[in-house]
Amino acid sequence: MAATVARRRRTVTRGRLGALLVAVVPTAFIVVLFAWPVGALIRRAVSESDAGVVELLRRTHAADLLGFTLYQAAASTVLSILVAVPIVWLIARVRIPGSMLLMVVVTVPFVLPTVVVGVAFRALLGGPLAFLGIDSGLWPILLAHAFLNVAVVARIVGAAWRSLDPRLAEAARTLGAGRARAFAGVVVPRLMPAIGAAAALVFLFCSTSFGVIIILGNGEIRTLETEIYTQAIGYFRIPEAVALSMLQIVVVVAALLVTRVVSDPGAADGARPTETRFTPHRWQWLPVTAALVWTLAVLVGPIAVLALRSVRPSADGAWTLDGYRSLTDSVNGVTPLQTLRYSLTTAALAMVIALVVGLLAAVSMYRSRGVWSVAGNVVATIPLGISAVTLGFGYLLVLANLPAQVAASPLVIPSVQALIAIPIVVRIAVPALASIPDRLRQAAATLGAGPLRVFLTVDLPMIGRSLGAAGGFAFVMALGEFGATSFLARADTTTLPVLIGSALNRPGAENLATAMAASMLLVAVTTLAVLAVELVRPRTGALL
């Protein structure tokens, strides 16, 4: 008996030590890659300014910037939801051939580099839609944000709709309610938590948007994010930039807390949805066809225009493949194709780092309860919405004080890219872990398996497909990271999004053609990666 008790105590002790180690690794990663550079920037700002935070915010007209940032984010969120309505209906209610390709079309815009989206909408609004007269001002930004974030709404709300029990609406109709009344009175209220969660995430992404506003704003649109860049890069006013960054962090944390309050958007991932989709017949094909046309026009149209402009950079110019030929021409000693090879390598390394750190964070959060679980979720997600300019400057300050061998390490850029991808891995892995029946773990433990062996033999095999999907998303997000990477890139470590941004800043039709062709190259790689995600992901739930 004594030996059994001692063995149980040792097992409990090892379990607690293991849980501590699991939490230490992601915590250390967040501290080094996030808290350290932000802290270094704050210390630099404090040492260079005697003014308080309130005075710094007054100097930068922070109240006006905050008001406009929240306004454009709210408008973008409403537009994203409205644009996504027919697409959500297609995903949740209609069973058609090629549904996997539909999900690829829906998802690709979300993971495209924002610099590519900016290029696409500049080509679209300056070309086929020039007659609308909205090629400048706020509308291009709102449309680009809607294009980027349709996938968030479609996946979260679509998964929630598919998981609803259809018998509730059928019961309402049996009691005399019409189709519209049953939908408004039964279905919509049950979708509101998912809609609220999707709206909070879209609001978060739009409030920290950088590449889209820089490219489409033409210097006329100023938000907190772009003003941080202007203060830091344009005027080198570090204290003012840091004060604005702190204000932005408050906005990000508030948005994340709202997301947690209204709903857990990952909860649908662990649920097994009831099949409620119908196969269209006869007249039912009319609304289905209309929704499909809407989807293709909204999500494929901008990419099609980008492809057109890549072979015809000028609307009144000749057709040419010079942009694609220039992919083999050297720019600062490196060709765009070599840059793509480097981008793929760093994205692959970032994917591995994000999977390891994100999975450990997910395991720790899954085992946590109450306030610790909420705090862990917020901390793990903050890097997704933090200013890329803030992080970039912080990295420069930190790396400048480190040995040259460390600063020039090939792991620096992949680690920075992984920081942005980890929140997606966590949001996929936590619900996947929650979907595993506890009786399987208990059975393995009863047969003598320790916590590590239970995780390796029970948990990992059952969440393998989810981790594959998480890895795919981490890869494409790392591939398209532009903001922080642009601060760290050198001639031999330039990623393709950074090269595209540089080409857009140089005058001449040749540079524009190169940017368009390189953008199409990124679109092709991203589409293949998203297709791989759709092939391996579990057939239940959402991925966001």
Side-chain angles (χ1 to χ4, degrees):
M1 177 65 70
T4 302
V5 172
R7 185 165 57 252
R8 288 179 178 175
R9 287 179 177 174
R10 287 194 298 270
T11 301
V12 171
T13 301
R14 286 197 298 268
R16 290 176 178 174
L17 289 176
L20 179 62
L21 291 176
V22 165
V24 163
V25 173
T27 301
F29 190 88
I30 295 295
V31 168
V32 173
L33 271 296
F34 178 74
W36 189 10
V38 172
L41 200 58
I42 293 175
R43 286 196 302 272
R44 173 73 174 269
V46 171
S47 66
E48 290 186 1
S49 176
D50 296 329
V53 174
V54 175
E55 174 61 20
L56 292 173
L57 293 176
R58 187 193 63 80
R59 292 177 187 175
T60 55
H61 306 285
D64 294 336
L65 289 171
L66 176 61
F68 182 77
T69 298
L70 298 179
Y71 167 73
Q72 66 84 23
S76 298
T77 300
V78 172
L79 185 60
S80 299
I81 293 175
L82 293 177
V83 168
V85 168
I87 303 171
V88 171
W89 177 74
L90 269 181
I91 292 172
R93 297 290 292 122
V94 184
R95 186 191 302 111
I96 55 175
S99 58
M100 180 182 296
L101 293 179
L102 173 63
M103 292 306 302
V104 171
V105 169
V106 170
T107 307
V108 164
F110 175 70
V111 294
L112 279 179
T114 55
V115 64
V116 173
V117 175
V119 172
F121 272 82
R122 195 162 75 173
L124 177 67
L125 298 175
L129 297 184
F131 67 93
L132 295 176
I134 57 172
D135 57 335
S136 62
L138 185 58
W139 270 108
I141 294 172
L142 299 183
L143 293 173
H145 283 166
F147 171 81
L148 279 166
N149 293 296
V150 161
V152 178
V153 181
R155 284 185 172 272
I156 293 177
V157 181
W161 195 349
R162 288 185 60 184
S163 66
L164 294 182
D165 189 343
R167 293 174 296 182
L168 297 175
E170 292 171 359
R173 297 192 64 187
T174 301
L175 295 174
R179 187 183 299 273
R181 185 176 179 183
F183 177 76
V186 176
V187 177
V188 171
R190 285 165 175 77
L191 290 180
M192 288 308 297
I195 294 173
L201 283 176
V202 173
F203 183 88
L204 169 64
F205 296 144
C206 295
S207 65
T208 57
S209 176
F210 178 68
V212 165
I213 295 178
I214 285 291
I215 294 175
L216 297 178
N218 296 324
E220 302 171 0
I221 305 297
R222 296 169 59 215
T223 62
L224 282 175
E225 181 79 354
T226 60
E227 189 63 16
I228 292 170
Y229 180 84
T230 300
Q231 292 291 333
I233 300 294
Y235 306 127
F236 207 71
R237 297 172 180 168
I238 303 301
E240 285 82 355
V242 170
L244 291 173
S245 297
M246 297 304 101
L247 180 60
Q248 187 187 56
I249 290 177
V250 172
V251 174
V252 169
V253 172
L256 291 174
L257 290 176
V258 169
T259 304
R260 289 291 299 186
V261 168
V262 297
S263 173
D264 184 358
D269 288 21
R272 185 174 298 278
T274 304
E275 182 57 69
T276 61
R277 296 179 298 170
F278 67 90
T279 301
H281 299 287
R282 297 180 181 177
W283 64 268
Q284 293 175 331
W285 275 106
L286 291 177
V288 171
T289 302
L292 285 172
V293 170
W294 172 261
T295 302
L296 294 177
V298 169
L299 301 180
V300 180
I303 303 300
V305 172
L306 178 62
L308 178 65
R309 291 294 299 275
S310 71
V311 293
R312 196 184 184 192
S314 177
D316 55 353
W319 299 87
T320 177
L321 293 175
D322 288 346
Y324 290 93
R325 295 190 185 99
S326 68
L327 296 179
T328 59
D329 296 338
S330 177
V331 179
N332 295 328
V334 182
T335 69
L337 286 181
Q338 290 173 329
T339 299
L340 174 63
R341 188 181 306 118
Y342 175 77
S343 298
L344 294 174
T345 301
T346 57
L349 285 173
M351 177 188 69
V352 173
I353 296 172
L355 278 176
V356 172
V357 178
L359 180 58
L360 292 176
V363 171
S364 180
M365 289 170 56
Y366 168 69
R367 293 175 178 176
S368 302
R369 293 293 183 270
V371 67
W372 291 109
S373 177
V374 175
N377 183 67
V378 171
V379 171
T381 312
I382 281 180
L384 194 62
I386 198 63
S387 167
V389 177
T390 299
L391 286 176
F393 252 99
Y395 291 136
L396 289 181
L397 294 177
V398 168
L399 293 177
N401 295 317
L402 293 178
Q405 296 85 349
V406 177
S409 170
L411 290 177
V412 171
I413 290 180
S415 296
V416 172
Q417 294 172 338
L419 181 69
I420 309 301
I422 284 173
I424 296 298
V425 175
V426 171
R427 296 187 72 83
I428 295 174
V430 169
L433 289 169
S435 69
I436 301 174
D438 284 335
R439 65 178 182 276
L440 297 180
R441 299 187 181 99
Q442 294 168 359
T446 301
L447 294 174
L452 178 60
R453 189 172 181 182
V454 170
F455 177 75
L456 294 176
T457 58
V458 177
D459 291 2
L460 272 185
M462 296 198 69
I463 66 172
R465 293 178 70 91
S466 294
L467 287 182
F473 268 109
F475 176 82
V476 293
M477 293 190 71
L479 184 66
E481 207 286 319
F482 171 73
T485 304
S486 63
F487 284 84
L488 304 175
R490 304 187 304 271
D492 59 337
T493 60
T494 299
T495 61
L496 200 55
V498 175
L499 183 142
I500 293 171
S502 300
L504 286 174
N505 289 328
R506 294 194 296 267
E510 299 83 2
N511 291 317
L512 179 61
T514 300
M516 296 288 185
S519 297
M520 284 307 302
L521 201 59
L522 265 182
V523 169
V525 174
T526 301
T527 302
L528 290 175
V530 173
L531 180 60
V533 169
E534 287 300 320
L535 288 173
V536 303
R537 77 172 180 90
R539 296 297 98 189
T540 60
L543 286 178
L544 294 173

